[in-house]
């Protein structure tokens, strides 16, 4: 098993707030991240798949294909977007890094299903150099 | 003369658009950067001042003081803000990197005037690792 | 389970030496790192906690609170300090990255105990871009 | 168990191609990476070993020794080399990151065998900031 | 005047050698960089143009257009290429960073001539994090 | 004229304090940087020389030679040292970045004098990612 990682990036606006709460409660919970006029980040997404290198190419999967899948399925829907308003798969959710990464997992696990040689292993979503999350999907309970 | 540089950062939302133009014209000029629902970045600001090191401290200026000035005068007005809506010194302007850096120069040149030992030399504003601007102020024509 | 990572940093002096050994033995074992007059580093500490995102915030833990805990419990005791002389929890120990990271684990595992929703998962201590350690705590034997 | 990581780097040329295929097939499979006149990268290799810190040094292994082993056994055979033509342990193989990392594992697992206190845990091979692989060796099936 | 910077990258193979010299003389002058089978790098190119921000856009030049020019005129001719063999504008030249950056300047100064609002100011060519060059063109004698 | 840059690094301890002042005055002026037991940093030094590429090599100067000069003249005297106690050329001086960079300039300007083809142009000394200085030498008054 080799773990192959591909980094892509997107720049987006968002805010953290719970619509069931008052403005004061949101500011108490989220601080400046609740600013009603939004703020934003240069996000980086690192997708890790695992698999055996194919004998004829030496590669686990064609990296250009993997990059194209990530871009078409995820990046194009997030880049230069408002994560609260513009993204179908985040509708009705709080676009924290934790929630975004779980939703991206669902999309990529589905999109990579036809590629029998690889399995989605991990996602890393970097909001700033100081704040980032990792997710290994639900079935990987033993990690 | 030694050039002393201090890096600070802020995370903000913005969009590029000219209110005198139609949506189609804005999209033609600015592409995805004109998204009406905003996008955002992790901005980095590098402030360079120049001066002679003071004999008693070996420093051009106390770095903690320089950092405090930059934060109070600039960063607190930009961080976790919408650059089009929330920032007094950008009202009525297109918040491109070029415009932002010119406006920050005016503020910092003014704020640093009481510090006779240093002179504002350069500002670098980094929007992404691929896109950034530098500004040396108007009087420095010979640069 | 989502893994949430927070990076903090501290700048400190230290030396590697075993007081039971002669100077020659220390230099043999540790080379320039045994310099009696100390040397130093810009250390970076990455703390990873794991947990389920809370439904009402979408977050595993409030990042500002996590940052505050790390700073109060660890960073303030290490930053701009001499790791051999100034740090209570390193007294009588050789302040190698391996030992520092184990001692930080004990402190943070204790400090995070009141936060039932998260569990300390990993610490990464970066001494230089070329040298760093990771630690997953004692109980995680199966890792 | 503490995980100790050492980063080394090498600059090399390579191309991806399968000698059993026509030029057209190679270009179809590998795109520009199949360029017959080669291309190249600044590769970074991160070697992770795990072990208990030794009581007398506080270290898992002497980092200078670990660095020397990696350089002598691996880096000197790869640095400023053509990975298809100049490297004995890659002869007859497609020098993809996946294949390179597996072959480096064999060499380092062997070279580290005399050091009873540590065990090779992971290799990370970075071809570009966007493309990299990780490998944990064959026996670590449960990872 | 605002200085606008755009970073692009290419991965290429090259070797340093003077065809008028013997192999021994080349190895004496260039060391491992003269390896007849080539080596390679992840190069980064930072292009700086200067100009007044246009009142209607707030920008010195449309960054997407600047990026497209750099890619079409320079990057596509260098990326995944052999700098000694595959690049028309480097034929008969030693592809050191110094020579490459001078030749890129000629191309970009020409390509940017139609854009009256901006002037090419500087090129930075990064071969590794440790080795890079800057060039300001010939006419800028006063720099 | 091409500007050639070489990055080297050193890890050192220091403290900022003026021996003519009381402890209280030093702490007032320098804050935590005055800690009597020292602190430390991973310093990076970027040396820029300028010159015409030599026709027979395409290079301004042999980079390995430039690196060797910087290491022998500067890095070996600073690396894993205490900048207040161990460094001859900093005796009796406050080892702020400003002072260090001026003293390094004197050494390197002298050491590079035999290399008629190049001239020392700039030094950049990076203490942390947030704090760094640049120096262009005394004669370059017009910069």
């Amino acid at each position: 098993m080799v773990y192959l990682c591909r980094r892509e990036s997107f720049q987006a606006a968002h805010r953290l707030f719970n619509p069931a709460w008052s403005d004061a409660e949101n500011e108490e919970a989220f601080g400046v991240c609740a600013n009603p006029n939004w703020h934003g980040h240069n996000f980086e997404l690192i997708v890790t798949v695992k698999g055996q290198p194919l004998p004829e190419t030496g590669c686990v999967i064609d990296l250009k294909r993997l990059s194209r899948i990530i871009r078409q399925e995820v990046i194009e829907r997030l880049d230069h977007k408002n994560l609260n308003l513009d993204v179908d798969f985040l509708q009705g959710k709080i676009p924290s890094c934790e929630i975004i990464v779980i939703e991206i997992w669902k999309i990529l696990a589905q999109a990579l299903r036809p590629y029998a040689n690889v399995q989605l292993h991990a996602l890393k979503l970097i909001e700033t150099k100081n704040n980032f999350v990792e997710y290994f999907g639900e079935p990987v309970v033993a990690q």
Side-chain angles (χ1 to χ4, degrees), chain A residues 9-134:
Chain A
S9 57
F10 59 96
Q11 288 115 49
H14 76 154
R15 68 179 288 218
L16 299 184
F17 85 114
N18 183 332
W21 288 349
S22 69
D23 282 2
E25 286 170 315
N26 272 298
E27 207 188 307
E28 158 112 18
F30 299 112
V32 293
C33 298
N35 175 18
N37 285 334
W38 326 98
H39 65 282
H41 299 287
N42 301 329
F43 290 91
E44 295 189 8
L45 175 69
I46 298 174
V47 176
T48 301
V49 298
K50 61 181 172 185
Q52 298 286 348
L54 296 168
E56 63 269 29
T57 64
C59 299
V60 158
I61 187 176
D62 175 17
L63 253 177
K64 281 180 296 301
R65 180 166 298 173
L66 177 59
S67 169
R68 206 181 315 128
I69 292 167
I70 303 168
R71 290 183 192 220
Q72 282 177 357
E73 300 289 332
V74 176
I75 301 299
E76 287 181 12
R77 292 153 89 179
L78 297 173
D79 188 38
H80 282 78
K81 291 286 169 24
N82 183 307
L83 303 182
N84 299 70
L85 302 180
D86 297 335
V87 183
D88 52 358
F89 66 82
L90 293 172
Q91 287 303 309
K93 298 178 194 297
I94 302 173
S96 67
C97 278
E98 290 93 325
I99 299 300
I100 302 170
V101 85
I102 291 172
E103 297 303 316
I104 293 176
W105 179 280
K106 292 179 195 166
I107 293 168
L108 286 178
Q110 180 76 19
L112 288 167
R113 202 158 297 168
Y115 300 88
N117 190 56
V118 295
Q119 217 181 321
L120 185 58
H121 172 68
L123 295 179
K124 186 173 186 172
L125 182 63
I126 302 167
E127 193 178 81
T128 72
K129 278 172 196 144
N130 295 328
N131 301 335
F132 45 99
V133 298
E134 284 187 283

